[in-house]
Amino acid sequence: MNVLVVDIGGAHVKILVTGEKTHREFSSGPTMTAKRIVAAVRKLAGEWKYDVISIGYPGLVVHGRPVSEPHNLGPGWVGFDFAAAFKCPVKVINDAAMQALGSYKRGKMLFLGLGTGLGSAMIVDGIVVPMELAHLPYKKGTYEDYVGIRGLKKHGKKRWRRHVVDVVARLIAALEPDDVVLGGGNVNNLKELPPGCRAGDNADAFTGGFRLWANADGGRRPSKKARPS
């Protein structure tokens, strides 16, 4: 079974299909609606053959459906029928949860994605627990305002790094994880990782998307047994 993984971000949409080594991508942004995403993905996938699709969505997902509009994209996501639009089975999961699934190793893992916003998820003994920590109050705004791309541009790298260390320490103290993974493109802007953290890789999102369908055709689960809630 070939899986097409679609990783939707506030700045880019990346896609990869089973058997390919190099992903493809296109720009997203505040005018990017669900309908436009579908059309752009189908066009970019081109000759790739796929039976099912995994979508990493930058917002709250409940029972495989977006239940809130994304903060950094256009409207029209809640209630959208992705399976009908793509004409194949589709699984939708929060984008941070999908990357967390791909980077999971053991125990109770906290994933924080430093990208356009702040993605967050936990995996507890193999169960994916999507979280929405980005918009919780912090200082004069929210966590995302300080450690997302807006915070980086507003405060500069030096202050942004201090905010990242502080936010990560607060969340570790509150959630007490065994393992902490920092993912997202802005991890590269850190001189060093906060204590107790390891770096993820954006490619982990594709691994997570493939894992969503790992046993759907009768195949065995991956050795790191993570499954979505």
Side-chain angles (χ1 to χ4, degrees), residues 34-157:
K35 288 184 178 179
R36 289 182 177 179
I37 286 279
V38 171
V41 167
R42 295 182 70 175
K43 181 178 180 180
L44 187 62
E47 77 286 358
W48 283 355
K49 303 297 182 183
Y50 50 91
D51 306 295
V52 296
I53 297 176
S54 295
I55 295 177
Y57 172 74
L60 184 61
V61 177
V62 177
H63 301 308
R65 292 182 176 274
V67 296
S68 65
E69 298 292 336
H71 289 269
N72 299 303
L73 300 174
W77 298 83
V78 176
F80 187 81
D81 192 337
F82 289 97
F86 280 111
K87 297 181 172 59
C88 70
V90 176
K91 291 186 179 183
V92 182
I93 186 173
N94 173 265
D95 60 339
M98 188 166 77
Q99 190 167 350
L101 183 61
S103 59
Y104 180 68
K105 290 183 177 180
R106 61 184 175 84
K108 183 179 179 182
M109 186 194 82
L110 171 65
F111 174 86
L112 298 172
L114 302 175
T116 305
L118 173 65
S120 57
M122 291 196 75
I123 300 184
V124 183
D125 295 330
I127 305 296
V128 180
V129 184
M131 307 181 78
E132 288 291 320
L133 302 176
H135 306 291
L136 293 178
Y138 177 70
K139 294 184 181 291
K140 296 181 179 180
T142 66
Y143 285 129
E144 183 171 278
D145 290 331
Y146 284 83
V147 302
I149 191 67
R150 292 191 300 273
L152 178 58
K153 290 179 178 179
K154 180 179 180 179
H155 301 293
K157 284 186 180 181

